Amino acid sequence: MTALALPGSHTQDNGVTPNEFREGEAMTSRNKVLHFAGRRAVDCLSCRSSPFCFTGRLPVDEVPELGDIMRRRATLDKGDLLIAQGSPFTSLFVVRSGSLKQVTTTASDEYLVTALFLPGELIGLDAIGEGRYPGSVVSLETATVCELPFTEFSELGTRVPELRRRFLCHLSQELGSERLWMRLLLRRTSEVRLAHFLVAMSEHFRRRGYSPHRFRLAMSRGDIANYLGLTMETVSRTLVRYREQELLATRGQEFHILDMPRLERLAETSGRRSSVG
Amino acid sequence: MTALALPGSHTQDNGVTPNEFREGEAMTSRNKVLHFAGRRAVDCLSCRSSPFCFTGRLPVDEVPELGDIMRRRATLDKGDLLIAQGSPFTSLFVVRSGSLKQVTTTASDEYLVTALFLPGELIGLDAIGEGRYPGSVVSLETATVCELPFTEFSELGTRVPELRRRFLCHLSQELGSERLWMRLLLRRTSEVRLAHFLVAMSEHFRRRGYSPHRFRLAMSRGDIANYLGLTMETVSRTLVRYREQELLATRGQEFHILDMPRLERLAETSGRRSSVG
DNA sequence: CGTAATGTTGACACTAATCAACAAGAGTGG
DNA sequence: CCACTCTTGTTGATTAGTGTCAACATTACG
């Protein structure tokens, strides 16, 4: 894992002097300096993530300034660090392609995968309040992200109530789904947790126009396990059980859902006890 | 459980015609009609929750309009329904005294305690995005809440950027702590989960000027269990173990922490495996 | 091609869920 | 005020499900 940007003390060095880079400048995997696209309008309309990402819900042509303040950040390689835990919050990031994970190291040195980010998703929502990023964000594969400097975004929100409203809704939804999804996870077996996770991934790919039956997940078994509160061994064994039941085939990071209806049914299987309050 | 306000079709009948009630009007436990304090300024300064609740962070005298749009809702009795799951989102509520739980019933008829609300906390943050309340909110004991009609609150935010900013920060923090706290819970034993919960409760009381060592939790063992993703039996047994270790004494809903440092250490005990990514 | 990282499989221990029986309170009506 | 009932909480026996440790297989990578 190579530190790319340390938005802490190194912010000025690494990224916030973007105008010296030309948009679309190529970057080799050796080049460990972050490149921005400068302040020129990022073409959100041509972005594959657009219809699904937060900005996409607000047609960009209604708020051209949004494209103005959005900067395209050059490609991240697998293992590159986008954000270091604890560094001061400056920007949100929109995933354009690829995927990333957020890992938080606790006081007792636990390593927790606290979020996974797929194309279209917003990184940094949980950093606004504290003014610091609560975890490191690491690229799981070759990925591109757009940077949304928060000060400017916020200032734009002042002038565009609709943008503000949508952003608030997005944040609220994120909170709601996190509350619900986590409470569910707490009461589910590994089999159901994993099924739920896979269905969610599948759904994400489906919405983005990719096959919901075949996809590649760049994260390791360990990351999946950690994210779901399981161990790698359990994830591995559960996947074997799926294969035995001809629910799902896997080969490395390739996932092939063989029986979607059954997987979905499994994912919806209620927890253990009804627990009448 | 008696339905008090069904903010759905009954909204107009039950609450949103507040001006007919005088502030502070008494309400017997038989009187099942919600009483508002009307549009007169609620005295946030005299409110015990004030320094800790969201509005408290923004001195009320800086934003007198906030008191203007805040309505005090009359006392809820134990078991009273403040919000019905799925009803349209209209208002946020600030807990003034007492405590409430949010329960979500899933498609598969699971009963999940998705949130607990103590004095000073904001109810409804997870409802903004969907426009509906994601769960029913039920009073766990005699409680009072202030209502913050969202349209007016939002409109006020337009004029007061600082209010907006603080609200956003609050929401973001809520998301961050939910993400972290839940990931932690997933990897902890019942003993550590419960310890963590009790320490959090204790902390809450301490901040509000009450004893952090002795307090009453109005929720049942079942609710605690559900909230932590455990069963009532496990909670009960774990409490017994605490008592044997002279960590904590309980009598019904009364909790008496005997050895805070040890309980805190227990709560911070790392999960199981380090899970190196 | 060799080394390290990642994933799989097996044996075993242990936690917490389940089922069931019982105890203790809270609420109700006589 | 007491008997009755209903809810809530406690305790015990049992078992399913996962974590843990360890060995081995596979893949990725230089």
Side-chain angles (χ1 to χ4, degrees):
Chain A
M1 189 190 297
T2 314
L4 264 196
L6 289 164
S9 49
H10 298 94
T11 302
Q12 295 311 314
D13 307 332
N14 282 337
V16 192
T17 52
N19 291 321
E20 56 185 301
F21 301 109
R22 275 159 306 164
E23 186 172 4
E25 178 173 353
M27 184 171 134
T28 72
S29 63
R30 294 276 119 219
N31 183 350
K32 290 301 177 193
V33 177
L34 279 177
H35 290 193
F36 289 94
R39 285 176 178 278
R40 278 189 253 142
V42 168
D43 185 5
C44 284
L45 293 171
S46 76
C47 172
R48 238 192 131 169
S49 301
S50 171
F52 313 98
C53 90
F54 156 70
T55 62
R57 298 205 216 159
L58 185 65
V60 180
D61 44 332
E62 286 181 21
V63 188
E65 302 98 318
L66 197 59
D68 282 351
I69 66 172
M70 184 91 80
R71 302 174 193 162
R72 187 164 61 219
R73 169 161 279 193
T75 307
L76 294 163
D77 291 321
K78 177 175 175 174
D80 282 350
L81 189 65
L82 174 67
I83 291 167
Q85 178 170 353
S87 57
F89 171 67
T90 54
S91 303
L92 298 169
F93 297 91
V94 185
V95 182
R96 218 171 204 271
S97 68
S99 55
L100 304 93
K101 65 175 171 180
Q102 180 177 78
V103 298
T104 301
T105 306
T106 64
S108 42
D109 258 324
E110 269 175 288
Y111 178 91
L112 297 174
V113 177
T114 42
L116 292 175
F117 301 107
L118 298 182
E121 296 188 309
L122 262 178
I123 299 172
L125 290 176
D126 48 6
I128 302 170
E130 294 293 343
R132 319 200 144 266
Y133 295 100
S136 299
V137 178
V138 180
S139 189
L140 290 165
E141 60 191 312
T142 300
T144 49
V145 295
C146 293
E147 186 184 17
L148 205 50
F150 190 68
T151 315
E152 301 171 42
F153 176 69
S154 196
E155 198 273 326
L156 180 58
T158 303
R159 286 179 284 123
V160 188
E162 181 63 7
L163 178 65
R164 213 163 64 222
R165 199 187 66 78
R166 299 218 191 184
F167 185 63
L168 199 62
C169 283
H170 186 79
L171 200 48
S172 166
Q173 277 175 331
E174 206 72 13
L175 176 65
S177 63
E178 194 75 11
R179 270 187 184 161
L180 189 58
W181 154 254
M182 282 295 101
R183 297 293 156 190
L184 278 172
L185 274 197
L186 277 175
R187 321 197 118 269
R188 318 238 120 154
T189 66
S190 62
E191 244 185 12
V192 181
R193 282 190 207 184
L194 195 54
H196 203 128
F197 172 76
L198 290 169
V199 168
M201 287 294 141
S202 166
E203 173 65 9
H204 193 97
F205 286 112
R206 195 187 57 68
R207 275 205 308 268
R208 306 201 61 248
Y210 295 107
S211 165
H213 299 99
R214 276 178 174 284
F215 47 82
R216 198 178 75 85
L217 296 182
M219 54 226 104
S220 69
R221 299 281 190 273
D223 286 332
I224 297 174
N226 194 312
Y227 184 65
L228 296 173
L230 301 169
T231 57
M232 202 178 65
E233 292 92 327
T234 302
V235 167
S236 184
R237 278 187 255 265
T238 306
L239 287 175
V240 171
R241 235 175 302 148
Y242 286 164
R243 181 167 336 169
E244 284 167 1
Q245 296 167 30
E246 295 183 321
L247 263 174
L248 175 93
T250 57
R251 242 199 33 211
Q253 300 188 320
E254 294 291 335
F255 288 73
H256 188 184
I257 297 176
L258 301 172
D259 191 341
M260 182 69 84
R262 205 143 54 87
L263 192 68
E264 279 171 338
R265 237 176 300 130
L266 181 58
E268 294 309 322
T269 300
S270 96
R272 295 151 197 235
R273 201 194 291 188
S274 320
S275 213
V276 183
Chain B
M1 189 191 295
T2 313
L4 264 195
L6 289 163
S9 48
H10 299 93
T11 302
Q12 295 310 316
D13 306 334
N14 282 338
V16 193
T17 52
N19 291 321
E20 55 185 300
F21 301 108
R22 276 157 307 164
E23 188 172 4
E25 178 173 354
M27 184 171 134
T28 72
S29 64
R30 293 278 119 218
N31 184 352
K32 290 301 175 193
V33 177
L34 280 176
H35 290 193
F36 289 94
R39 284 175 179 278
R40 277 186 255 146
V42 168
D43 186 5
C44 284
L45 292 172
S46 76
C47 173
R48 248 208 117 157
S49 301
S50 172
F52 313 100
C53 91
F54 156 70
T55 62
R57 297 204 219 160
L58 187 64
V60 180
D61 44 334
E62 286 180 23
V63 187
E65 302 97 319
L66 196 60
D68 281 350
I69 66 172
M70 184 90 80
R71 302 174 194 163
R72 188 164 61 218
R73 171 160 278 191
T75 307
L76 294 162
D77 291 321
K78 178 177 177 173
D80 282 350
L81 188 67
L82 173 66
I83 291 168
Q85 179 170 352
S87 57
F89 171 68
T90 54
S91 303
L92 298 169
F93 296 91
V94 185
V95 182
R96 216 169 205 272
S97 68
S99 55
L100 304 91
K101 64 174 172 181
Q102 180 178 78
V103 297
T104 301
T105 306
T106 66
S108 43
D109 258 325
E110 271 175 287
Y111 179 92
L112 298 173
V113 176
T114 42
L116 292 175
F117 300 107
L118 298 182
E121 295 189 310
L122 261 177
I123 299 172
L125 289 177
D126 49 6
I128 301 170
E130 294 294 342
R132 318 198 145 269
Y133 295 100
S136 300
V137 177
V138 180
S139 189
L140 290 165
E141 60 192 312
T142 300
T144 49
V145 294
C146 293
E147 186 185 16
L148 206 48
F150 190 68
T151 314
E152 301 170 43
F153 176 68
S154 195
E155 197 274 326
L156 179 59
T158 302
R159 286 179 283 123
V160 187
E162 181 62 10
L163 179 65
R164 213 162 64 221
R165 198 187 66 77
R166 299 218 190 184
F167 185 64
L168 199 62
C169 284
H170 186 80
L171 201 47
S172 166
Q173 277 175 330
E174 206 72 13
L175 177 65
S177 63
E178 194 75 10
R179 271 187 183 160
L180 188 59
W181 154 255
M182 283 294 102
R183 297 292 158 190
L184 278 171
L185 273 197
L186 277 175
R187 323 197 117 269
R188 318 238 123 154
T189 65
S190 61
E191 242 184 13
V192 181
R193 282 191 207 184
L194 194 54
H196 202 129
F197 172 77
L198 290 169
V199 168
M201 287 294 142
S202 166
E203 174 65 9
H204 193 97
F205 286 111
R206 194 187 56 70
R207 275 205 309 269
R208 306 202 62 249
Y210 295 107
S211 165
H213 299 99
R214 277 177 172 284
F215 47 83
R216 200 178 74 86
L217 296 181
M219 55 225 99
S220 69
R221 299 283 190 274
D223 285 331
I224 296 174
N226 194 311
Y227 184 66
L228 296 174
L230 301 169
T231 57
M232 201 178 69
E233 291 92 326
T234 301
V235 168
S236 184
R237 276 188 256 265
T238 305
L239 288 175
V240 170
R241 235 175 304 147
Y242 286 163
R243 181 167 336 170
E244 285 166 1
Q245 295 167 31
E246 296 184 320
L247 263 174
L248 175 93
T250 56
R251 240 197 37 207
Q253 302 187 319
E254 294 290 336
F255 289 73
H256 187 185
I257 298 177
L258 301 171
D259 191 340
M260 181 69 83
R262 205 141 54 87
L263 191 68
E264 280 171 338
R265 237 177 300 131
L266 181 58
E268 294 309 322
T269 301
S270 94
R272 296 156 194 230
R273 201 194 294 188
S274 321
S275 214
V276 183

